[in-house]
Amino acid sequence: MDLFRYRQGRLYCEELPVADLARRFGTPLYIYSAGTLRRHYRKLASAFAPLKPLICYSVKVCSNTHILRLLREEGAGFDLVSGGELYRVLEAGGDPARCCFAGVAKTDAEIRFALAKGLRLFNIESEEELENLAHLAAEAGKRARAAVRVNPNVDPKTHRYMATGKKETKFGVDLERAERVFRQFAASAGARHVSLEGVHCHIGSQITTVEPYVQAVTKALDLVRALGGAGIEITTLDFGGGFGAEYEGGQALDAEAFACALVPLLEGTGLEIVMEPGRFIAGNAGILVTQVQYVKAGGDRRFLLCDSGMHHLIRPALYGSYHHIWPVDPGEDFTPAQRIRDEAFPGTEVVDVVGPICESSDFLAKDRHLPPVRRGGLLAVFSAGAYGMTMASEYNSFPRPAEVLVEEAEARLIRRRGTYEDLVAPEKDV
Ligand code: LLP
């Protein structure tokens, strides 16, 4: 699953003790394992190899430019949702011709930026956006390549905030309307400036079954065939991201399982396949290390008051997500065989792990069995590599955490800790 392992009672990231990293770089600290990032990317690449897909790593998941560079070296293209993400990809030396742009409400400025760089695919969310893309492409003297994002109305069986392929969500164009959109566009003047050559769908995130993909891809292929029958040739199918990571042990599927279901559907169609995985690659490749500042009793509860919380990892507060938490140096008696929810150890105590933010949504975990932890102790919050740092804020004016990338026995600071000056810099000289 990943290269964070307990050895003789101490947590290691690859070859380095996490406690040493915390001492060297301070806390709160995001630590990423390069080996895990590479391993997960390669698992996908090899499972889907028969389709020769363009694998566009979803930048929103973990967007540090050093991590983008690592994945680019592995062969990844990128899935973007904003001009800012395009900027990051360019900084990381990414090739725009291997990027797709799926912003839900792209601004003219973002579209112009993307046109100037020459992206592989604009994933279009509405009729108006398509018209606007044609207009801006004409103005820029470019011909854009685009796909219509369709909403296949399937239930991905995930948290409702992460379901994006159901009819009631804001995403994509309803499948029934999609055919008309293609036909009308083919007959319009805009077709000179936009090659509308693809069908895109992204049905959600943290998906742990194959059926929703089979349903969505089957519907997308039906549309491709119907369009073909009407003389509109579709060359590209982008089936999005969404493959789940491991949070509690045992719920995520391997890349092979998704590939076994999807490759037979898509092989031999002649379509160019794009996929947009994010969490599958980065989710298990990062931890957040936080230091317990105080331990206190309150009512009938015991609180570990930490230097990190919802401002650095908002997933527990926003989605009720489970992140496994365990001391960085628990000692041999408390070294877990595996990281699973409520692993029963004699001598653990039930605690809430909370942060310094002034609201009650600020927790990383509730009612957790943890070994006794004292003031100054370090905790590892696991599976924090996806949607951790990218969703972090400076709420309550806490500077952002530092980020470190470990490869074997080498640790590299890839983002310095935020400072008080960083907090006020954009407010100076205005
Ligand atoms: N493609 C598109 C168009 C997307 O909107 C997303 C994620 C992805 C690809 C990548 O999905 P992945 O492979 O990582 O599942 N903040 C939430 C997750 C939101 C997902 C947003 N879209 C969380 O913390 O769980």
Side-chain angles (χ1 to χ4, degrees):
M1 174 170 92
D2 60 53
L3 299 174
F4 295 95
R5 303 259 167 79
Y6 284 95
R7 291 186 214 157
Q8 286 96 43
R10 311 191 70 196
L11 180 62
Y12 280 72
C13 175
E14 306 204 5
E15 301 307 319
L16 297 177
V18 167
D20 291 357
L21 296 171
R23 244 190 309 277
R24 182 168 155 204
F25 296 104
T27 60
L29 182 67
Y30 271 99
I31 301 175
Y32 305 101
S33 149
T36 309
L37 289 163
R38 293 188 199 283
R39 181 188 287 192
H40 282 82
Y41 180 84
R42 288 174 193 174
K43 274 185 186 192
L44 279 179
S46 89
F48 284 90
L51 300 177
K52 298 193 183 68
L54 172 58
I55 303 180
C56 292
Y57 167 73
S58 192
V59 173
K60 66 176 82 64
V61 169
C62 185
S63 58
N64 186 295
T65 49
H66 299 264
I67 287 179
L68 302 184
R69 199 166 292 132
L70 178 151
L71 290 169
R72 186 207 72 202
E73 285 162 11
E74 286 291 321
F78 298 99
D79 156 51
L80 321 166
V81 289
S82 68
E85 289 190 346
L86 175 53
Y87 189 84
R88 281 182 173 278
V89 165
L90 296 171
E91 276 283 308
D95 177 2
R98 295 171 59 76
C99 289
C100 52
F101 186 11
V104 179
K106 304 173 187 76
T107 64
D108 289 1
E110 288 176 318
I111 295 173
R112 286 194 184 106
F113 182 25
L115 282 168
K117 297 299 167 190
L119 300 196
R120 168 66 183 82
L121 206 62
F122 285 83
N123 287 331
I124 298 297
E125 295 267 350
S126 67
E127 293 90 327
E128 278 195 354
E129 186 194 333
L130 184 53
E131 214 175 285
N132 190 39
L133 174 63
H135 167 74
L136 294 172
E139 188 187 271
K142 306 262 182 185
R143 187 148 200 267
R145 304 174 74 181
V148 173
R149 178 172 181 173
V150 297
N151 187 322
N153 195 25
V154 302
D155 181 359
K157 304 211 164 47
T158 183
H159 189 283
R160 68 183 198 287
Y161 289 177
M162 297 168 209
T164 53
K166 292 211 279 184
K167 222 175 193 156
E168 61 270 26
T169 64
K170 68 181 175 185
F171 300 97
V173 173
D174 294 342
L175 207 53
E176 306 81 67
R177 233 175 52 233
E179 194 176 331
R180 203 172 64 226
V181 171
F182 277 97
R183 281 171 188 261
Q184 283 175 351
F185 188 74
S188 75
R192 273 186 289 142
H193 308 293
V194 176
S195 161
L196 193 58
E197 60 193 47
V199 171
H200 172 231
C201 62
H202 168 76
I203 56 175
S205 195
Q206 187 54 18
I207 300 173
T208 56
T209 52
V210 299
E211 292 79 23
Y213 285 101
V214 171
Q215 285 173 32
V217 167
T218 304
K219 290 184 181 190
L221 287 174
D222 287 346
L223 174 65
V224 169
R225 273 188 284 272
L227 289 168
I232 297 171
E233 198 205 351
I234 299 298
T235 58
T236 305
L237 187 110
D238 176 350
F239 65 79
F243 300 164
E246 200 73 85
Y247 290 97
E248 301 180 34
Q251 86 278 42
L253 292 181
D254 213 345
E256 292 291 341
F258 289 110
C260 278
L262 291 173
V263 170
L265 284 178
L266 293 166
E267 215 175 6
T269 56
L271 290 165
E272 239 181 274
I273 303 299
V274 181
M275 53 197 282
E276 306 168 352
R279 189 191 316 256
F280 183 89
I281 295 168
N284 294 117
I287 63 171
L288 172 61
V289 180
T290 180
Q291 186 183 43
V292 177
Q293 305 301 305
Y294 305 100
V295 180
K296 82 167 175 188
D300 59 351
R301 311 189 83 85
R302 204 173 156 74
F303 295 101
L304 303 184
L305 307 165
C306 300
D307 64 0
S308 190
M310 67 178 293
H311 53 322
H312 300 152
L313 182 67
I314 202 175
R315 303 190 70 258
L318 188 56
Y319 316 115
S321 304
Y322 178 91
H323 283 264
H324 194 69
I325 299 182
W326 205 253
V328 165
D329 283 342
E332 303 240 23
D333 289 351
F334 288 105
T335 296
Q338 43 179 339
R339 302 193 304 255
I340 52 173
R341 192 189 277 253
D342 284 345
E343 190 165 23
F345 262 106
T348 54
E349 44 193 32
V350 178
V351 295
D352 286 2
V353 181
V354 301
I357 299 294
C358 300
E359 56 179 82
S360 299
S361 58
D362 180 27
F363 56 87
L364 293 170
K366 288 193 166 185
D367 295 322
R368 263 325 148 76
H369 289 264
L370 286 191
V373 181
R374 285 205 294 271
R375 168 171 157 75
L378 296 172
L379 297 176
V381 185
F382 289 94
S383 308
Y387 307 104
M389 185 62 168
T390 49
M391 294 179 81
S393 75
E394 291 170 342
Y395 186 35
N396 283 199
S397 290
F398 288 104
R400 285 192 171 79
E403 293 180 295
V404 165
L405 181 63
V406 173
E407 182 130 42
E408 296 178 354
E410 213 180 289
R412 209 152 49 86
L413 185 66
I414 57 169
R415 183 185 169 104
R416 65 163 172 79
R417 182 169 303 290
T419 63
Y420 292 152
E421 294 80 58
D422 289 341
L423 297 179
V424 298
E427 298 159 26
K428 293 231 168 113
D429 305 320
V430 282

